[in-house]
């Protein structure tokens, strides 16, 4: 039986009644198969699963889609029930921010100003602030985050380590649709033509992976990804396409790496990333 709670008091009571380990999955709702994968991973590894559903106003810029972001609580609850979640915490904004915007925010450091942070100033300040608040309120043993939002995952891991938060952060691989597009709540904004254009994003990343598998060096891997993106259908505008190390530091010469991309399809902004293994230098 999944218990829906809306307030801190209700959450504390529900959390206090859980025995065994607790895993938390933080979402903004509009749940899809990617979220279900997170929920299943949490259910497999923890005795109890707590889901948070909260469209966080702190991480939306003035020109972004906060007001039109989909809110589908009834459908989300059904997904949580099917996945065996014990508690769903769905607060209103005043419940988390009773004084309005907080006076103290979590500073994500230099990495928070790069990639997504450069395109969306202040975004990770808002993300890390709400994540820390929700970790404090839910008190989990583990927290599960998707690798699709790889920069977010990396920053949450850094925050937990640097601030001594007693929780294990578990990354869950990206879930893709049959055509290769990474699952996202924003995919529902795409027109049929926009969806076809959006495939330039995973196409570019897979071109980079293929180049690496063929022995290409870092520069050639990135060039192959850019070439594949440029050869894709019209209607998509690249924001960034970069190759870094697994911690999002400057790109490695050999070994594990991460290829990350973001692009606009009309008014919809999509992100994606893949792991890349660079061949040793000869």
């Amino acid at each position: 039986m999944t218990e829906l709670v809306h307030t801190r008091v209700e959450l504390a009571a529900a959390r206090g009644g859980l025995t065994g380990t607790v895993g938390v999955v933080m979402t903004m709702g509009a749940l899809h198969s990617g979220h279900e994968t997170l929920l299943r991973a949490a259910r497999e590894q923890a005795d109890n699963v707590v889901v948070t559903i909260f469209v966080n106003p702190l991480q939306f810029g003035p020109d972004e889609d906060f007001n039109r972001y989909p809110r589908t609580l009834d459908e989300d609850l059904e997904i949580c029930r099917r996945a065996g979640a014990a508690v769903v915490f769905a607060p209103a904004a005043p419940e988390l921010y009773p004084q309005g915007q907080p006076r103290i925010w979590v500073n994500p450091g230099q990495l928070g100003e790069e990639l997504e942070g450069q395109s969306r100033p202040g975004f990770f300040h808002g993300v890390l602030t709400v994540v820390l608040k929700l970790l404090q309120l839910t008190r989990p043993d583990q927290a599960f985050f998707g690798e699709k939002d790889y920069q977010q995952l990396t920053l949450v891991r850094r925050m937990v380590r640097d601030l001594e938060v007693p929780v294990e952060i578990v990354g869950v691989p990206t879930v893709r649709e049959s055509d290769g597009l990474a699952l996202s709540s924003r995919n529902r904004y795409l027109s049929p033509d926009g969806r076809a254009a959006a495939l330039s994003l995973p196409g570019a990343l897979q071109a980079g992976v293929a180049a690496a598998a063929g022995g290409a060096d870092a520069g050639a891997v990135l060039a192959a990804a850019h070439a594949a993106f440029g050869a894709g259908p019209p209607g998509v505008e690249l924001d960034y396409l970069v190759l870094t190390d697994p911690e999002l530091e400057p790109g490695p010469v050999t070994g594990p790496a991460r290829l990350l991309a973001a692009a606009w399809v009309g008014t919809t902004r999509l992100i994606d990333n893949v792991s890349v293994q660079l061949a040793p230098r000869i």
Side-chain angles (χ1 to χ4, degrees):
M1 184 69 178
T2 300
E3 182 177 0
L4 173 64
V5 298
H6 296 286
T7 69
R8 295 165 181 257
V9 172
E10 292 171 338
L11 174 62
R15 174 64 179 86
L18 301 178
T19 58
T21 59
V22 172
V24 68
V25 176
M26 300 180 188
T27 81
M28 293 208 301
L31 303 187
H32 49 62
S33 297
H35 294 106
E36 289 191 78
T37 298
L38 286 173
L39 293 169
R40 286 195 298 269
R43 192 70 186 88
E44 289 169 0
Q45 298 186 47
D47 297 318
N48 306 278
V49 177
V50 175
V51 181
T52 68
I53 297 177
F54 179 63
V55 183
N56 178 33
L58 299 191
Q59 65 195 66
F60 287 81
D63 298 321
E64 294 184 331
D65 58 354
F66 175 76
N67 288 326
R68 74 179 184 122
Y69 194 88
R71 282 128 169 118
T72 56
L73 183 59
D74 289 342
E75 294 88 343
D76 296 344
L77 284 174
E78 182 56 34
I79 290 173
C80 292
R81 292 188 183 104
R82 288 202 308 264
V87 178
V88 174
F89 179 45
E95 189 67 27
L96 280 191
Y97 306 119
Q99 307 302 320
Q101 285 204 357
R103 297 182 182 182
I104 295 177
W105 298 49
V106 177
N107 188 329
Q110 181 58 41
L111 178 57
E113 309 304 328
E114 300 169 358
L115 302 174
E116 288 300 288
Q118 183 173 4
S119 297
R120 305 176 68 186
F123 173 69
F124 286 115
H125 296 73
V127 169
L128 295 186
T129 298
V130 77
V131 167
L132 184 57
K133 287 175 73 72
L134 290 171
L135 288 175
Q136 300 283 25
L137 291 169
T138 58
R139 296 180 289 112
D141 300 284
Q142 297 171 301
F144 295 79
F145 292 86
E147 290 186 355
K148 184 185 81 69
D149 298 296
Y150 191 80
Q151 189 176 6
Q152 171 181 277
L153 172 62
T154 301
L155 284 167
V156 169
R157 281 178 168 153
R158 288 188 182 186
M159 177 183 72
V160 162
R161 181 192 64 221
D162 291 352
L163 300 184
E164 309 292 350
V165 183
V167 62
E168 176 190 2
I169 303 301
V170 181
V172 179
T174 301
V175 178
R176 298 184 180 278
E177 302 195 42
S178 58
D179 57 7
L181 190 66
L183 281 171
S184 169
S185 300
R186 289 187 168 93
N187 289 354
R188 67 185 66 196
Y189 298 154
L190 299 172
S191 66
D193 288 344
R195 185 179 177 86
L199 294 179
S200 296
L201 212 55
L205 299 181
Q206 289 307 313
V209 170
D217 62 18
V221 166
L222 192 56
H226 275 281
F229 186 90
V236 57
E237 180 182 352
L238 187 65
D239 187 347
Y240 62 76
L241 177 56
V242 299
L243 184 68
T244 73
D245 82 355
E247 295 298 316
L248 301 183
E249 298 296 336
V253 175
T254 65
R258 207 82 192 182
L259 192 59
L260 305 99
W264 288 94
V265 182
T267 60
T268 301
R269 190 171 182 279
L270 301 176
I271 62 174
D272 202 349
N273 71 89
V274 292
S275 174
V276 176
Q277 185 70 27
L278 298 175
R281 300 180 73 176
I282 300 175

